[in-house]
Amino acid sequence: MGKLKKGRKSQNRRHNPVARKNGASGKQDSKEETTRQNKIVPLIAKLSSSATNDQSLALSTIGVLAEDEQMRKLLLKERLVATLVEEILSKSSDDELIVEAYGVLRNLTIEEGYDVAMHLWRLKIWTFIQNGLEKIQKSYEFLNSDPKKLDKKRAHLLFDFTENVLSLIVAIASCSEDLYDNIYADIDPVVKLVIDVLNWNIPKLRTSTKLFNALLDFIYEFASDSAAFVSDLAAQESFSLASLEEAVQSSAHAQNNLGKVIVQGIKFHLYEVQSSLEEDKQTACLSILKSIFGTITQLDLEEMNRQLSQKEKLPEPKPADDEKPQNIDIAFGSDSAEKIQARFDLQAIDVTIDLFTTMCEYLAINESHVEESVSLNNELVAFLLDVAFPSCLHLLKYNHEHAQVFQLTVKVLVALNNLCWLFLSNETIPVEWYTKIPLLWDAVDSVSVSENMEVQKLVLSILWALSKSVGPEVRNKVTQAHITGLLEKCTQLTQGSSIADEPVAVYEFLLSAIGFLGSVAQVIGNTDMTREIGEFLLSQIAHYVVEENHHKERKAVEIPFECLNLMYDIFGDAEYDYDLPVFVEGAYLDRLRQLEPAVKTCYKQIDKNRDKDLKIRAEEVYGNLGRFIVYKERERA
């Protein structure tokens, strides 16, 4: 069956709501060297200047330029990361420069992921972070002893410093298991600091809302990835979920939609780890879903789009020492309060979609009897159909119709995919779901024109689930041209250079395509189409059982076994109209006999210590192959 996708298990989950999309490539390529010489190199050089103002202006400009992917690549080629660490973090005594440098490094890590994170780690960034955390801890102790001793400007700088350091930790930890483990080994003092500063903001908000949300996000991100973290968090006497829930409902957080959503995310992960099987997880999930969707559905997407589409402000000179910010969440020379609010709101939507994705997966598992279907209660089903589904569909359409302005297409598709498979995991598919399927089919079909293979894969996974739901009615949506086009694309990917460039992406696309095609073959009512699909499945088995083609890549090894499972389903009964003209006349039985030794070799080569689940599944499929051959031999005897 289709795989339910985890919502928060990769660096891709980190979302920068202001990152710019790629510009037109032709002119940019021709001007790249000129840009490098005239703009990038001088900016990087100024980071080493002895004049603090030169460094500050260069760093601010770099922060804006780095939001554009092409400019970011040029900056990184000129040793931007190493220069920031060596010239600012190591040598500078200017607090504002250091704070801004952490912010730039955080954004670079979010955008570029593992490569930048590992580069930072090799530059001993954790030592700088630990030193920074010690300064932060002492500053809050000083501030707590006598809040009046620290002027507002210094307090604002402290809040930004805390936010940038914590969010950099989260960004680095999100990039790989090794980096996560390295950070987690030293996480205790960081967690204590986070909880202490949160408690300092309850019941009265003393820091910026931005920092308050960063503190919540730190807890949420680690809780999303580690049950041990959640257990340790729950055991901390100083941590109170109830206090956080109460705090974000106060007047100080009236517009803090992001904070409200993150607190519910923390609540879910605490429940997920601590709940017993006897507790009603559907009731708990429904309560959280109502809260988070209730928060984001009142947001004005048009206003968010308008605010986020405004051009970034150019860096401004530092303010005079006696000048103080009027709004603690707005730094000097930064964007308007409305634009900052729009960014927070987009992040609230982002986290909501992540949570919904994870909860669909969580609800699809019958923890009492894992092999059995779940039984969703009527209230939960009604909410999923009447609120969650239309909200996701609206986001998908809006983002598509407005040139991917919110960059949420992939996340929303993952969420919708999980919702589709959740309904298939239910004892019975809700009747009202059938009225929604045509809307979803058309919506995902419209975004499938994207060249992004991740989008195409997710579209196919959704169509796979929908075709399994509607059965023969799929004939109203699928044509011969659709099937032929998809088969041609799969063949091209199998034989083309994309395998070398993006192997995992290609294999995942093929698996989704295979699942969709296999479900269509059984109900399409067109012998020629079923024959085309059958031939394709056999060709994929023959290709990917060979080690030189699958290279022991897990997703590639899955392909022949997924194809075999579908062959068993498609040709499981001689009474099917297409069985004689396709299976019998196509000599499929002899061809499966010929493939059996290679399938056995492929199954035997799977290392049970490295991939136990795949080994068990492959063993089952291989065992069924022998039984299927015997069954088909006797079926017409």
Side-chain angles (χ1 to χ4, degrees), residues 178-219:
D178 287 343
L179 288 171
Y180 180 93
D181 291 341
N182 287 334
I183 289 175
Y184 192 78
D186 292 321
I187 202 71
D188 289 348
V190 191
V191 175
K192 182 182 183 305
L193 172 64
V194 169
I195 294 174
D196 287 346
V197 180
L198 277 173
N199 289 336
W200 190 58
N201 280 279
I202 300 172
K204 180 182 178 181
L205 181 65
R206 300 184 183 187
T207 66
S208 62
T209 304
K210 188 168 63 167
L211 173 56
F212 188 84
N213 288 342
L215 297 165
L216 292 175
D217 186 62
F218 180 91
I219 292 176

Side-chain angles (χ1 to χ4, degrees), residues 478-488 526 529 532:
V478 178
T479 66
Q480 179 83 47
H482 288 143
I483 297 301
T484 301
L486 181 55
L487 290 171
E488 288 176 353
N526 183 314
M529 291 173 68
E532 282 190 67

Side-chain angles (χ1 to χ4, degrees), residues 487-501 506-507 509-510 535-536 539-540 543-544 549 559:
L487 290 171
E488 288 176 353
K489 181 176 179 65
C490 290
T491 301
Q492 290 169 0
L493 287 173
T494 301
Q495 300 172 351
S497 60
S498 298
I499 288 285
D501 298 335
V506 170
Y507 300 143
F509 176 90
L510 289 172
E535 292 292 335
F536 168 72
S539 70
Q540 291 289 295
H543 183 81
Y544 282 109
N549 293 328
I559 291 174

Side-chain angles (χ1 to χ4, degrees), residues 34 53 70 73 135 165 202 210 213-214 231 242 281 298 312 315 370 374 423 425-426 451 476 482 536 596:
T34 301
N53 282 341
Q70 186 66 22
K73 300 295 185 187
K135 292 179 182 178
V165 170
I202 300 172
K210 188 168 63 167
N213 288 342
S231 297
K281 69 179 185 180
Q298 47 85 32
E312 291 81 359
V370 292
V374 296
F423 284 140
S425 301
N426 197 32
E451 295 181 1
N476 299 326
H482 288 143
F536 168 72
E596 188 174 13

Side-chain angles (χ1 to χ4, degrees), residues 433-501:
W433 179 234
Y434 291 103
T435 67
K436 312 286 187 183
I437 286 176
L439 300 174
L440 179 55
W441 192 295
D442 291 342
V444 298
D445 189 51
S446 67
V447 302
S448 67
V449 297
S450 168
E451 295 181 1
N452 185 325
M453 194 171 293
E454 178 78 2
V455 170
Q456 295 176 3
K457 175 198 75 176
L458 289 166
V459 166
L460 284 170
S461 184
I462 291 171
L463 296 183
W464 177 8
L466 296 183
S467 62
K468 286 176 71 70
S469 299
V470 301
E473 292 182 25
V474 76
R475 301 169 191 174
N476 299 326
K477 290 291 185 181
V478 178
T479 66
Q480 179 83 47
H482 288 143
I483 297 301
T484 301
L486 181 55
L487 290 171
E488 288 176 353
K489 181 176 179 65
C490 290
T491 301
Q492 290 169 0
L493 287 173
T494 301
Q495 300 172 351
S497 60
S498 298
I499 288 285
D501 298 335

Side-chain angles (χ1 to χ4, degrees), residues 99-139:
V99 170
E100 191 164 3
Y102 273 109
V104 171
L105 290 172
R106 180 265 320 276
N107 291 343
L108 290 172
T109 306
I110 290 174
E111 291 300 335
E112 296 297 321
Y114 179 81
D115 289 342
V116 167
M118 183 52 70
H119 187 31
L120 279 170
W121 198 259
R122 289 168 179 157
L123 291 170
K124 309 296 183 184
I125 190 64
W126 189 245
T127 300
F128 292 101
I129 287 174
Q130 287 179 312
N131 292 336
L133 289 170
E134 289 179 8
K135 292 179 182 178
I136 289 169
Q137 180 73 46
K138 291 177 181 178
S139 296

Side-chain angles (χ1 to χ4, degrees), residues 358-423:
T358 302
M359 277 191 267
C360 283
E361 180 177 15
Y362 180 60
L363 289 165
I365 300 171
N366 186 332
E367 295 185 66
S368 299
H369 303 90
V370 292
E371 298 298 324
E372 297 181 9
S373 300
V374 296
S375 180
L376 302 177
N377 65 53
N378 292 336
E379 187 179 5
L380 176 59
V381 169
F383 181 86
L384 294 174
L385 290 171
D386 298 337
V387 179
F389 170 71
S391 298
C392 290
L393 194 65
H394 179 57
L395 279 171
L396 183 69
K397 289 181 177 179
Y398 188 93
N399 204 50
H400 178 63
E401 292 166 0
H402 293 79
Q404 309 298 323
V405 62
F406 297 143
Q407 302 180 46
L408 289 173
T409 294
V410 169
K411 282 200 171 189
V412 176
L413 286 173
V414 174
L416 289 168
N417 178 63
N418 278 22
L419 179 63
C420 292
W421 289 101
L422 171 60
F423 284 140

Side-chain angles (χ1 to χ4, degrees), residues 577-610:
D577 292 342
Y578 54 76
D579 189 77
L580 178 61
V582 177
F583 190 89
V584 177
E585 294 179 6
Y588 281 18
L589 188 57
D590 287 339
R591 293 159 74 178
L592 286 172
R593 287 196 194 99
Q594 293 168 10
L595 287 169
E596 188 174 13
V599 173
K600 180 180 180 180
T601 300
C602 184
Y603 140 65
K604 290 288 188 181
Q605 288 175 337
I606 300 172
D607 187 341
K608 66 179 180 181
N609 296 317
R610 294 181 58 188

